[in-house]
Amino acid sequence: MKKNIGNVLALYPTPAVVVGTEVGGKINWLLVAHIGIIGHDMLMLSMHKAHHTNAGVKATSRVSVNVVDEAMLPQADYVGCVSGAKVDKSDVFAWHSGEAGTPVIDASPLTMECEVVDDYETETFDNFICRIANTYADESILGADGKIDYGRLKPVLFEMPTYSYLKTGEVIGKCTVAGREYKKGHEKA
């Protein structure tokens, strides 16, 4: 039997990313775990309105989305714990400017440069709708087919109810294979 536990957001864990943008002439970083997919070329960054970083995203309409792996977790956690309004976070990561002009973290194995196309505001959050301009992948995370291998990447996941970071797990199946097997077993003779 299932128990109603209220209006709990229960879609965690989500990938942890560090977003980068320019705020008041300085590069600023923020750890974000409220991130979503909107189609195949767009994503959403949901960021509390109190974040200093939001002003830069609004002013420049550009942001980098740097996937966090275990090696960069201490710095990523740090930029999520302190405000850029009080602390200069520009030198926490070594970075370079991407082709679309966003700050790309050198240590991140996977970065997407994005153009902000909309801001869907709620009472407490800016929900930046972003079009992906460029994706940079470290060659070590690419498979023989040239595509991202998440078994190699092993992005850090964030789980909200316990405020914990998790490692990605093992592959348990391939998309559409289980469905085809299910269909075969349930077809009428």
Side-chain angles (χ1 to χ4, degrees):
M1 176 172 233
K2 292 183 182 177
K3 179 182 178 183
N4 182 346
I5 59 172
N7 66 340
V8 174
L9 178 57
L11 293 178
Y12 291 97
T14 56
V17 299
V18 172
V19 300
T21 195
E22 185 179 314
V23 184
K26 285 189 173 184
I27 298 303
N28 191 67
W29 310 107
L30 177 68
L31 180 66
V32 174
H34 294 164
I35 186 166
I37 298 169
I38 303 176
H40 288 174
D41 64 344
M42 298 183 79
L43 58 85
M44 181 188 67
L45 298 168
S46 185
M47 298 162 48
H48 197 280
K49 287 184 177 188
H51 288 304
H52 179 68
T53 307
N54 295 28
V57 175
K58 288 179 179 185
T60 65
S61 294
R62 293 188 316 231
V63 63
S64 64
V65 178
N66 301 272
V67 174
V68 175
D69 67 4
E70 192 172 358
M72 62 184 282
L73 184 57
Q75 295 96 329
D77 191 54
Y78 172 75
V79 299
C81 294
V82 297
S83 172
K86 298 176 182 173
V87 175
D88 180 358
K89 299 188 276 184
S90 62
D91 65 351
V92 173
F93 296 102
W95 62 277
H96 65 278
S97 186
E99 292 176 27
T102 71
V104 173
I105 296 175
D106 294 343
S108 176
L110 181 65
T111 300
M112 291 164 280
E113 282 191 291
C114 297
E115 169 196 2
V116 178
V117 296
D118 199 2
D119 179 5
Y120 177 78
E121 293 187 46
T122 61
E123 187 176 327
T124 55
F125 279 80
D126 282 311
N127 299 283
F128 297 109
I129 310 302
C130 304
R131 178 174 289 111
I132 301 166
N134 299 299
T135 301
Y136 306 99
D138 189 297
E139 288 188 30
S140 68
I141 66 162
L142 299 177
D145 59 1
K147 294 182 181 178
I148 300 164
D149 180 337
Y150 288 90
R152 292 179 183 183
L153 172 59
K154 297 183 179 163
V156 169
L157 304 177
F158 174 73
E159 188 265 314
M160 180 68 135
T162 64
Y163 277 68
S164 299
Y165 295 112
L166 308 170
K167 286 184 179 184
T168 53
E170 62 190 79
V171 174
I172 60 170
K174 293 289 186 184
C175 182
T176 72
V177 173
R180 285 192 302 253
E181 291 300 316
Y182 175 82
K183 182 179 176 186
K184 282 184 197 176
H186 288 84
E187 288 178 341
K188 294 183 181 184

